[in-house]
Amino acid sequence: MIVKQREMPLIIPQLQALDYRLPEQHLKRPIIRGELSKQIIGYQGEKSVDYQLSHLPLNKYYILHNLRLPDNKSFFQIDTLLLSYYYILNMEIKNFGGSIYFDDHFGQVIQTQNGKEKALPDPIYQINRQELQLEKWLRRHNFPFVPIESIVVFGNANTTIKAEPGSPAFEKVMHSAKILKKLEEFDQKYKYASLKRNQVQSISDTLIKEHTPKRQDILRKYSISESEVIKGTRCPRCSAVPIQRQKRKWICHKCGFSSKKAHLDSLQDYALLFSPTITNQQFREFFSIPSPSTASKMLANSEFKKNGHTKGTKYTIPLNF
C-alpha cells in the first residue's frame, strides 16, 4: 500500500523556470541545463523502481517515497522505504549510466561512460549511514526494535555493475528488476513479526508527519542575482519571455498565442524562483503592470489565498506540477 506517493523533486521545476528566464548567452545556463538533465534522469530512475514495486501485494507493505526526516539539527533523506510487520527496507535509488565499479578499498565507485572515468561516493556508505539515522529516529520516538535492511537500486537497466569477489555490493546493490527477488530473500530471513498492525500504522503516520520537504533558494545556489532573471509573462505555448499585454490580453508575437490568463503560469515561475507569496507591488514590478487597481483585479481573479489588508496583502501562489 502506497501511503506516501513519489513526488517530482521541487528542484526540477525550479531549474526549468530558471532555464526559461535566463538570457540565452548567460554563462550559468549550460550549468543549469546540465543539472536539470541530471535531476530528470534521477527522477526517471526512481519511477522505474516504482514499476517493480507496483507488483507487490497491496496489504503486505506500507510504501513511502521521498522522505526527508529530522536528525538533530539536520535532515536525512530516504528515496523509498518499505515498512512491514517483520522488517523495514531502506532503498537508495541511483540512475548512473555506463559501467559502475565498486572500489571497496577507497570507498568509492568508478563510473566509466563514453570513455571517461569519474569517481563517485560509494552509495553503500550512504545507505549504512541512513540505516543508523533511521535507527536513531525510531528510538527517539520510542518505537519497538525492528530489523532494518538497506539496498542500492540502479534504475537504468543498461548500467553494468562490477565489484571484486567478496564485496558487499553483491548483497547490497542490484538493478530494479531484482527487487522482488530480494524481497523474497528478506521474507525468508525474517519469519517472526517485530511489529503489530497499530505500531506499523503509527510509524507510518509519524514518518509522514515529520517529513519536511526541502525548498532551495535556487538563485543563491547558483549565485544568480534577481536582476539577471528575465521578468514578465512567459508564453505558455513557446516559452518566449516577455510577451506583451494589449487590451487585457497577453499576446505572443513569436508564435501568435493569446490569452487573458497567461500570467498564471508565470506566477508559478515567480513562486519557484523568488517567493511562494506575492504582493500587489511585486506583481506590478514582475509583470510591468503600471496600475495598482489592474493588478489588484488580476490577483483577485486568480482566486489565490490571501493574508493581510490593503498594501500589506500577500497572495499565496499554489504550485501545480
Side-chain angles (χ1 to χ4, degrees), residues 204-232:
S204 174
D205 291 343
T206 308
L207 286 167
I208 292 174
K209 181 180 178 181
E210 292 217 343
H211 167 64
T212 308
K214 183 177 182 180
R215 180 188 174 92
Q216 299 187 59
D217 184 335
I218 194 76
L219 298 185
R220 178 180 292 182
K221 178 179 174 67
Y222 292 100
S223 301
I224 295 172
S225 67
E226 289 190 18
S227 61
E228 295 175 84
V229 177
I230 301 173
K231 298 178 176 61

Side-chain angles (χ1 to χ4, degrees), residues 50-77:
D50 296 348
Y51 171 75
Q52 297 296 330
L53 297 180
S54 69
H55 294 90
L56 293 174
L58 292 176
N59 60 349
K60 194 170 183 178
Y61 304 95
Y62 286 60
I63 303 174
L64 300 95
H65 298 298
N66 300 131
L67 287 168
R68 183 171 179 265
L69 302 170
D71 180 28
N72 293 324
K73 294 182 180 180
S74 60
F75 294 86
F76 67 101
Q77 297 186 185

Side-chain angles (χ1 to χ4, degrees), residues 190-252:
Y190 299 104
K191 295 289 190 179
Y192 302 100
S194 296
L195 300 171
K196 298 178 181 178
R197 181 186 179 94
N198 66 315
Q199 292 170 328
V200 173
Q201 185 65 57
S202 181
I203 293 174
S204 174
D205 291 343
T206 308
L207 286 167
I208 292 174
K209 181 180 178 181
E210 292 217 343
H211 167 64
T212 308
K214 183 177 182 180
R215 180 188 174 92
Q216 299 187 59
D217 184 335
I218 194 76
L219 298 185
R220 178 180 292 182
K221 178 179 174 67
Y222 292 100
S223 301
I224 295 172
S225 67
E226 289 190 18
S227 61
E228 295 175 84
V229 177
I230 301 173
K231 298 178 176 61
T233 298
R234 175 170 57 84
C235 176
R237 180 187 290 169
C238 73
S239 295
V241 61
I243 61 175
Q244 304 302 311
R245 182 172 170 81
Q246 298 173 3
K247 298 180 180 180
R248 299 184 181 181
K249 277 188 177 182
W250 297 103
I251 299 174
C252 177

Side-chain angles (χ1 to χ4, degrees), residues 57-279:
L58 292 176
N59 60 349
K60 194 170 183 178
Y61 304 95
Y62 286 60
I63 303 174
L64 300 95
H65 298 298
N66 300 131
L67 287 168
R68 183 171 179 265
L69 302 170
D71 180 28
N72 293 324
K73 294 182 180 180
S74 60
F75 294 86
F76 67 101
Q77 297 186 185
I78 294 176
D79 288 338
T80 293
L81 185 139
L82 271 64
L83 177 60
S84 75
Y85 301 125
Y86 300 88
Y87 62 92
I88 293 175
L89 176 61
N90 163 44
M91 299 170 58
E92 176 66 22
I93 303 168
K94 301 296 184 185
N95 208 36
F96 302 146
S99 176
I100 298 295
Y101 172 71
F102 281 80
D103 183 345
D104 300 327
H105 179 75
F106 291 104
Q108 63 182 359
V109 298
I110 307 298
Q111 179 189 39
T112 304
Q113 191 171 30
N114 300 323
K116 296 181 180 179
E117 283 191 350
K118 182 179 181 182
L120 301 168
D122 189 340
I124 295 178
Y125 282 46
Q126 183 179 356
I127 59 172
N128 289 341
R129 183 175 64 252
Q130 290 168 341
E131 199 169 302
L132 291 173
Q133 290 171 311
L134 186 56
E135 286 177 357
K136 285 170 53 182
W137 184 91
L138 289 165
R139 288 199 304 270
R140 190 163 65 246
H141 290 281
N142 298 314
F143 288 121
F145 170 79
V146 55
I148 300 174
E149 296 281 357
S150 297
I151 57 175
V152 178
V153 180
F154 282 82
N156 187 340
N158 295 318
T159 301
T160 302
I161 304 172
K162 300 177 182 179
E164 291 295 324
S167 170
F170 285 97
E171 291 297 321
K172 295 281 190 179
V173 181
M174 65 205 67
H175 284 111
S176 60
K178 193 181 175 184
I179 292 174
L180 299 185
K181 185 175 184 299
K182 194 67 179 177
L183 286 172
E184 290 177 1
E185 293 178 18
F186 291 142
D187 289 342
Q188 291 297 315
K189 180 178 179 179
Y190 299 104
K191 295 289 190 179
Y192 302 100
S194 296
L195 300 171
K196 298 178 181 178
R197 181 186 179 94
N198 66 315
Q199 292 170 328
V200 173
Q201 185 65 57
S202 181
I203 293 174
S204 174
D205 291 343
T206 308
L207 286 167
I208 292 174
K209 181 180 178 181
E210 292 217 343
H211 167 64
T212 308
K214 183 177 182 180
R215 180 188 174 92
Q216 299 187 59
D217 184 335
I218 194 76
L219 298 185
R220 178 180 292 182
K221 178 179 174 67
Y222 292 100
S223 301
I224 295 172
S225 67
E226 289 190 18
S227 61
E228 295 175 84
V229 177
I230 301 173
K231 298 178 176 61
T233 298
R234 175 170 57 84
C235 176
R237 180 187 290 169
C238 73
S239 295
V241 61
I243 61 175
Q244 304 302 311
R245 182 172 170 81
Q246 298 173 3
K247 298 180 180 180
R248 299 184 181 181
K249 277 188 177 182
W250 297 103
I251 299 174
C252 177
H253 295 293
K254 183 176 180 180
C255 72
F257 177 84
S258 67
S259 169
K260 290 183 178 181
K261 296 184 177 181
H263 60 284
L264 295 178
D265 285 343
S266 293
L267 279 167
Q268 296 280 301
D269 292 353
Y270 183 93
L272 291 164
L273 299 178
F274 300 109
S275 169
T277 62
I278 192 168
T279 64

